[in-house]
Amino acid sequence: MDSTRQRLAILHPRHSLGTVFALSFACVTAATTLLGGFLSYNVAARMVRVDQDDVFHGVVGDLHQQVAQHRLSPSDYFSVSPDSDSPRDDLSRRIRTDVQVLGPTGRVEERGFPALKVRPADRAAASHARAGHTIYYKTEIEGDRYRVATVALGGGRGAVQVAQQYSDTEDLLRELKQRTVELSAIVIVVAGLAGWWLARRIAGRLVRLTRVAEDVARTGRLDTAVPVAGQDEVGRLGRAFDGMLGRLAASEEIQRRLIQDAGHELRTPLTSLQANAALLDRIDRLPPQAKADLIADMKSETRELVNLVNELVELAAGDRDAEQPTETALSAAAEDAAALARRRTGREILVDADDTVVRARPAAVQRALSNLLENAAKFDRDGTEPIEVAITGTRVEVRDRGPGIAEADLPRVFDRFYRADSARSLPGSGLGLAIVHAVALTHGGTAFARNRPGGGAVIGFTVGPASRVDIPRTTPTADSITAPR
């Protein structure tokens, strides 16, 4: 049940990557825009309000100077012709100020526009003895809000009221707030659309790549086309996924060929063993020579079958072998392999090796050398000349004086189960050189084969330069002096 739910969640996600990306982009933009708009509005509102307040207090300060320096009467602040330069003009010149004049008793001598309300405190200021005595307050007239200051003329001569409407300022700020909200909404919508567009461009390739991966997981087909456009991380991911599918497809093909070839090669010894087993029922009636031939043939086929199975296991293990790389002297591995080959074949084997040390799997390297020596001994049946092992740096060569390799067979000698026409009558499974090739690849090198001048073949492998271990020496030895390749 849980696995089914997981598959459904993969095939039908609740939220697509594009939706999540677009929403995230819009949310971040919305938060940034709203925060910026809020801070901008607060700063603008504070600056406007402080500026208007400073202007109003400046007008009141001018009025203080007028009444302090001159013994002015209410009539001095009456409206006169526009060309005159009266104290009233000085008050209204800086801002649009409403001026209203009160008499000694607080009665309105000249109304403002609009008319200001006269409160008891205003009447008290009109009869105040000290010039410049001021009271401040805020009031509302016909739906508009005003700042009001009532300044006494002194000596009970009356007072002057100045008022500044700040509803205009608030209306301006209210409109600014509305414009800010509208602009923020537009920015958020545009950001959402831009995020959706970017998500389609950026996440669209990821969505297509996800669909390809789901198709591969559902169908098991490794030949599915993978979108690899772009040079960014998504493009790199697509190319890496495409390369991975290619490697998997190649590995699957190699496994299929290995199974087919292994089945074909196993069929021959198994058929022979089956035929010989059928004769066991009447082995007592066979002549002695036929009986001996039957037993020898069964032993030979059984040995071939065991060798084939062992080599298949060795080849299938490949670079997944549990043996860990260690510092390995190639000369020591060659001497061990040569000693083993001498016991098995009775052939003379000469080793000419320098003191190169590499990081390698010792058993794998020795197995590759043993296969090369057994291959050379098998084909060089004359045996009049020794088999040579030459190691120079990270290059390993095994040389023989056999019949050599046909030019048509050189490109395929390392293929699994490949056997040249001249070798079909010889024992072997066709896996020895394939194992050499696998060992070389595992150690970052290559396998090679060529014909030797004067007759014979040179077959060997190299170990990658990165595997070499440089050991400093104080004095050169005779073994370390080799002829140039």
Side-chain angles (χ1 to χ4, degrees):
M1 179 65 71
D2 293 339
S3 61
T4 302
R5 290 177 178 175
Q6 292 174 357
R7 286 195 296 270
L8 289 175
I10 293 175
L11 295 176
H12 302 286
R14 292 184 179 180
H15 301 290
S16 66
L17 183 60
T19 302
V20 173
F21 188 85
L23 290 176
S24 301
F25 193 83
C27 289
V28 171
T29 305
T32 305
T33 303
L34 292 176
L35 180 61
F38 175 76
L39 294 177
S40 300
Y41 171 79
N42 278 350
V43 171
R46 187 178 299 110
M47 292 178 63
V48 170
R49 286 168 177 157
V50 169
D51 182 67
Q52 293 293 317
D53 192 61
D54 289 343
V55 170
F56 179 72
H57 282 84
V59 172
V60 175
D62 292 343
L63 181 58
H64 282 169
Q65 292 180 0
Q66 291 176 0
V67 301
Q69 295 175 1
H70 309 284
R71 290 181 57 83
L72 299 176
S73 63
S75 61
D76 293 325
Y77 288 93
F78 290 169
S79 298
V80 294
S81 62
D83 297 332
S84 64
D85 188 13
S86 65
R88 184 187 183 112
D89 294 331
D90 293 337
L91 298 180
S92 59
R93 186 175 292 122
R94 294 180 59 182
I95 60 171
R96 189 176 61 184
T97 306
D98 186 15
V99 179
Q100 181 168 280
V101 183
L102 302 180
T105 62
R107 184 173 63 86
V108 178
E109 298 290 340
E110 182 172 284
R111 294 184 180 277
F113 182 79
L116 302 177
K117 296 178 181 179
V118 180
R119 306 187 310 173
D122 298 323
R123 295 188 182 92
S127 60
H128 204 280
R130 184 172 63 85
H133 174 72
T134 307
I135 60 170
Y136 293 93
Y137 61 92
K138 295 179 182 179
T139 187
E140 183 174 331
I141 303 173
E142 299 178 358
D144 294 325
R145 295 182 63 80
Y146 287 81
R147 295 184 184 92
V148 181
T150 302
V151 180
L153 296 177
R157 295 190 299 274
V160 178
Q161 289 181 297
V162 292
Q164 180 192 49
Q165 181 182 355
Y166 66 91
S167 295
D168 290 342
T169 303
E170 295 302 322
D171 291 342
L172 176 63
L173 294 177
R174 192 179 303 111
E175 183 177 358
L176 176 62
K177 181 189 295 184
Q178 182 178 355
R179 294 289 180 85
T180 302
V181 172
E182 292 174 354
L183 182 60
S184 300
I186 293 174
V187 171
I188 293 171
V189 172
V190 172
L193 294 176
W196 176 81
W197 180 77
L198 287 175
R200 289 290 300 271
R201 285 184 60 85
I202 298 175
R205 289 180 293 160
L206 285 176
V207 172
R208 290 191 295 272
L209 191 59
T210 302
R211 289 173 181 169
V212 171
E214 291 171 352
D215 290 341
V216 172
R218 184 177 64 255
T219 63
R221 294 185 55 185
L222 301 177
D223 57 348
T224 305
V226 179
V228 294
Q231 299 299 323
D232 55 3
E233 286 77 4
V234 180
R236 290 169 52 194
L237 177 61
R239 285 188 290 274
F241 186 66
D242 186 58
M244 181 187 68
L245 289 184
R247 293 286 298 273
L248 289 175
S251 177
E252 187 179 63
E253 177 63 18
I254 291 173
Q255 290 179 0
R256 185 185 63 80
R257 287 177 51 196
L258 177 63
I259 293 173
Q260 290 178 347
D261 294 341
H264 176 75
E265 294 295 328
L266 288 170
R267 190 176 294 114
T268 299
L270 288 175
T271 301
S272 178
L273 285 173
Q274 186 178 19
N276 291 332
L279 296 175
L280 291 178
D281 292 338
R282 48 192 179 90
I283 190 173
D284 294 338
R285 299 193 295 271
L286 295 177
Q289 184 60 41
K291 186 184 302 184
D293 292 341
L294 175 62
I295 294 174
D297 187 57
M298 292 187 69
K299 289 181 178 180
S300 175
E301 295 295 341
T302 302
R303 185 167 54 253
E304 287 293 323
L305 185 61
V306 170
N307 291 336
L308 179 59
V309 171
N310 288 336
E311 289 181 338
L312 281 173
V313 172
E314 180 76 19
L315 189 61
D319 58 1
R320 292 180 293 276
D321 198 335
E323 184 184 17
Q324 296 298 319
T326 59
E327 293 186 4
T328 304
L330 292 179
S331 58
E335 291 290 354
D336 293 341
L340 181 62
R342 293 188 190 103
R343 291 196 302 269
R344 290 179 175 177
T345 64
R347 295 292 301 274
E348 181 182 2
I349 300 174
L350 302 180
V351 178
D352 181 15
D354 59 17
D355 57 350
T356 299
V357 177
V358 297
R359 285 194 61 81
R361 295 170 177 165
V365 173
Q366 186 172 342
R367 174 61 187 240
L369 281 164
S370 297
N371 286 358
L372 290 175
L373 291 172
E374 291 176 4
N375 183 78
K378 180 172 63 175
F379 285 95
D380 186 8
R381 285 170 288 181
D382 188 15
T384 56
E385 294 190 30
I387 299 173
E388 301 174 7
V389 179
I391 299 178
T392 306
T394 58
R395 184 180 181 88
V396 180
E397 294 183 353
V398 174
R399 307 164 182 166
D400 63 65
R401 285 297 180 183
I405 305 172
E407 292 296 328
D409 295 330
L410 277 174
R412 302 190 59 190
V413 294
F414 294 104
D415 292 349
R416 296 173 180 177
F417 299 106
Y418 180 77
R419 303 179 72 183
D421 293 337
S422 60
R424 295 191 183 277
S425 60
L426 299 177
S429 62
L431 290 175
L433 294 184
I435 293 176
V436 173
H437 181 252
V439 171
L441 289 181
T442 301
H443 292 82
T446 58
F448 57 87
R450 70 174 188 273
N451 285 313
R452 187 179 183 186
V458 178
I459 306 178
F461 63 94
T462 61
V463 180
S467 301
R468 181 164 183 166
V469 178
D470 294 324
I471 300 178
R473 303 183 62 89
T474 55
T475 58
T477 63
D479 293 337
S480 64
I481 303 175
T482 57
R485 285 179 288 172

